[in-house]
Amino acid sequence: MNQDEVDDQEDKIIPGTLIQSSDDSTHENFHHHTSHHHRHSLSYAPASLVELHVHLDGSFRHTTLFELAQKKGIQLPNGMEPTLENFMPYICIQSACKSLAEFLEKFPFFTPIVAGDVEALERVAYEFVEDQAIQGVLYTETRYSPHYLTGDKLTPEQVIEAINKGLRRGMQEFSVDVRSILCCIRQHPEWSMETVDFAEKYRSSGVVGIDLAGDEHNYPIEPHVPAFKHALKLGIHRTVHAGETGSAESVRQAIELCHAERIGHGYAIIDDPSVYDLVRNHDIHLECCLTSSIQTNAVEKYIPKDSEKSEKHFFLNGVITKTKLHTHIRSKKEIWHPIHHFARDCLNFSLSRDDPSVLQITNEHENEHALADLKLSPAQLTQCIFNAARSTFLNDQGKKILIQRLLLNYLPEVVRQKHM
């Protein structure tokens, strides 16, 4: 795919995130994203994707946040005019982001717009399912911390029940299979055991596992180990954010101490052959996120010095704005991103978007830039989808059914009739 083809793809619909352009004109000399607000019933892609690492609170539609902020009288800092363009830099990451810590600074601004509001929580969950359907997602696992979304007004149980209601309504209407993962937070070990109890309580309502998210550098894993051991005894599935901006040792601890079946990100394992082999030998699934890894500088030390960088700008109502979105990186070096290593060595990994609204990306965007920027092959991307399917937190029968449904899109009918 050449650059013109990539830029052409950037003009495609971004489902449900922003305001629809009233001007069909294009600006040839700019990289841009076109914004859409109205629902496009004919834009639903064939259901052929599986996404495992996507944060619900990083997936809120921009228009929904803007609308709710206006209704609730939430003001922009420094008396700024409440327009969407002024609102965007506070909810979306800019290309100049220097670290994961800076990336996470967006959340305290927009999370309170939804937190503590049952109606809003149900709405964003429902809209999440619709946006997944538009992008051709067949099965997805979304994650969130119920404690972070209480807004000091609700109980964590009320948060879970509101989100479950929205997810159920979305699944019924849009035919996407959705499960949820409850996040423990490194900064709050006092929440972890209760989070495991919630996962057990709501297991029959679509909660399939727990996660550990948060600051790897400043908050150790040890206070969370008892909760994860308890989850293991209960048969609750476990994934852990590790090796994103932390070290390979963080991944080892997640596997050996918290019995992680999957690792969120895990890029740092290429720095330690023993941890790399641990992941490979135990078939630990790596939940990789391409644009996120660049925007949080998780892979900064691996980026070749001769790389070419390009920035995307927010495009509103037919006009290019000053708001910079994510950065794309290309290099003549064939192997540089940790994902290159995982693909070369056939590790069990997949691609997800992490926080799609904060990053302003779609699954189509991620796949296209994996092809164009990382030069992964279509076969490798297809393998990622089936890796994700066999690594879901569904039971064995559920995985079998999911894979059979995927094969309907990937195998010719004559082959399916003969072998299935």
Side-chain angles (χ1 to χ4, degrees):
M1 181 181 294
N2 59 38
Q3 183 61 47
D4 290 339
E5 291 172 323
V6 172
D7 292 340
D8 179 66
Q9 295 296 326
E10 293 291 355
D11 291 329
K12 292 187 177 181
I13 291 169
I14 298 174
T17 52
L18 302 174
I19 291 179
Q20 180 167 337
S21 171
S22 59
D23 183 351
D24 292 329
S25 63
T26 59
H27 296 248
E28 296 180 355
N29 295 324
F30 294 100
H31 296 299
H32 61 268
H33 281 244
T34 307
S35 307
H36 295 263
H37 174 56
H38 301 300
R39 310 315 303 143
H40 294 264
S41 61
L42 298 180
S43 66
Y44 286 68
S48 58
L49 300 177
V50 178
E51 185 170 27
L52 299 184
H53 190 114
V54 56
H55 293 265
L56 181 63
D57 50 341
S59 306
F60 301 156
R61 289 180 183 169
H62 304 140
T63 45
T64 297
L65 289 174
F66 187 60
E67 174 194 326
L68 292 174
Q70 289 185 307
K71 286 183 177 179
K72 296 180 179 184
I74 297 175
Q75 303 295 318
L76 289 172
N78 303 317
M80 295 180 66
E81 183 182 0
T83 65
L84 182 60
E85 183 176 353
N86 288 340
F87 190 68
M88 287 296 294
Y90 293 94
I91 61 174
C92 284
I93 203 64
Q94 306 297 284
S95 59
C97 180
K98 300 299 183 184
S99 66
L100 176 61
E102 184 177 335
F103 180 91
L104 295 175
E105 287 175 1
K106 303 296 177 183
F107 288 81
F109 174 77
F110 69 75
T111 300
I113 297 173
V114 173
D117 184 333
V118 169
E119 184 178 335
L121 289 167
E122 181 184 343
R123 174 180 173 178
V124 295
Y126 169 84
E127 291 176 346
F128 169 80
V129 182
E130 183 179 15
D131 288 342
Q132 292 294 73
I134 290 172
Q135 296 176 82
V137 174
L138 180 63
Y139 175 88
T140 189
E141 292 173 3
T142 187
R143 61 188 71 190
Y144 63 93
S145 165
H147 294 85
Y148 263 154
L149 293 175
T150 63
D152 295 326
K153 299 175 183 177
L154 303 176
T155 65
E157 292 99 324
Q158 289 174 313
V159 170
I160 295 169
E161 289 165 9
I163 289 172
N164 282 350
K165 186 176 180 180
L167 294 178
R168 282 195 304 270
R169 189 159 60 92
M171 284 189 284
Q172 292 169 357
E173 188 167 338
F174 304 114
S175 300
V176 179
D177 206 3
V178 184
R179 300 293 185 273
S180 52
I181 295 171
L182 304 184
C183 293
C184 304
I185 304 297
R186 284 181 181 261
Q187 297 93 307
H188 292 282
E190 71 276 11
W191 294 346
S192 290
M193 193 64 75
E194 189 175 40
T195 300
V196 174
D197 292 338
F198 293 148
E200 172 69 6
K201 178 178 179 179
Y202 292 99
R203 193 192 296 230
S204 62
S205 301
V207 175
V208 292
I210 61 168
D211 178 28
L212 179 60
D215 185 347
E216 288 182 79
H217 288 290
N218 298 312
Y219 296 90
I221 201 170
E222 284 80 7
H224 304 274
V225 169
F228 275 76
K229 286 184 176 180
H230 184 47
L232 176 66
K233 290 180 180 179
L234 293 174
I236 295 170
H237 290 292
R238 303 155 309 282
T239 182
V240 173
H241 281 69
E244 180 181 11
T245 56
S247 67
E249 183 60 26
S250 177
V251 176
R252 186 194 304 277
Q253 291 176 343
I255 297 169
E256 295 182 347
L257 299 181
C258 286
H259 307 280
E261 302 161 83
R262 300 191 331 222
I263 295 293
H265 307 288
Y267 313 117
I269 68 171
I270 69 170
D271 298 332
D272 187 327
S274 67
V275 179
Y276 196 91
D277 287 342
L278 177 67
V279 169
R280 177 164 50 186
N281 294 339
H282 287 79
D283 197 34
I284 303 294
H285 183 80
L286 299 168
E287 307 159 352
C288 298
C289 307
L290 175 53
T291 297
S292 170
S293 73
I294 294 170
Q295 287 303 123
T296 61
N297 274 334
V299 297
E300 180 182 21
K301 64 181 178 180
Y302 308 119
I303 298 174
K305 293 181 180 179
D306 66 347
S307 297
E308 297 179 0
K309 295 185 179 182
S310 62
E311 295 175 337
K312 305 296 177 181
H313 286 252
F314 174 45
F315 201 72
L316 178 63
N317 294 329
V319 179
I320 194 75
T321 73
K322 295 179 181 179
T323 302
K324 296 178 181 179
L325 300 172
H326 47 266
T327 301
H328 293 287
I329 297 176
R330 293 185 180 182
S331 173
K332 295 179 181 179
K333 189 175 180 181
E334 292 185 3
I335 303 289
W336 64 269
H337 196 290
I339 289 174
H340 284 130
H341 295 262
F342 305 159
R344 178 196 62 193
D345 297 334
C346 298
L347 265 63
N348 180 8
F349 79 98
S350 64
L351 296 179
S352 296
R353 292 167 302 150
D354 202 7
D355 297 288
S357 293
V358 180
L359 292 162
Q360 181 74 350
I361 55 175
T362 63
N363 277 305
E364 184 177 17
H365 166 280
E366 289 294 87
N367 287 329
E368 287 171 347
H369 287 290
L371 292 167
D373 296 348
L374 294 193
K375 301 297 190 296
L376 296 187
S377 70
Q380 288 171 323
L381 290 186
T382 300
Q383 184 63 60
C384 282
I385 294 167
F386 282 87
N387 286 345
R390 68 183 179 87
S391 302
T392 68
F393 285 160
L394 294 171
N395 60 30
D396 289 344
Q397 181 63 18
K399 290 180 183 180
K400 181 179 179 180
I401 293 171
L402 174 59
I403 291 171
Q404 288 175 338
R405 293 176 68 194
L406 284 171
L407 288 172
L408 295 176
N409 293 289
Y410 290 95
L411 283 181
E413 184 176 359
V414 64
V415 175
R416 296 200 308 270
Q417 290 176 345
K418 185 175 180 180
H419 296 282
M420 292 180 65

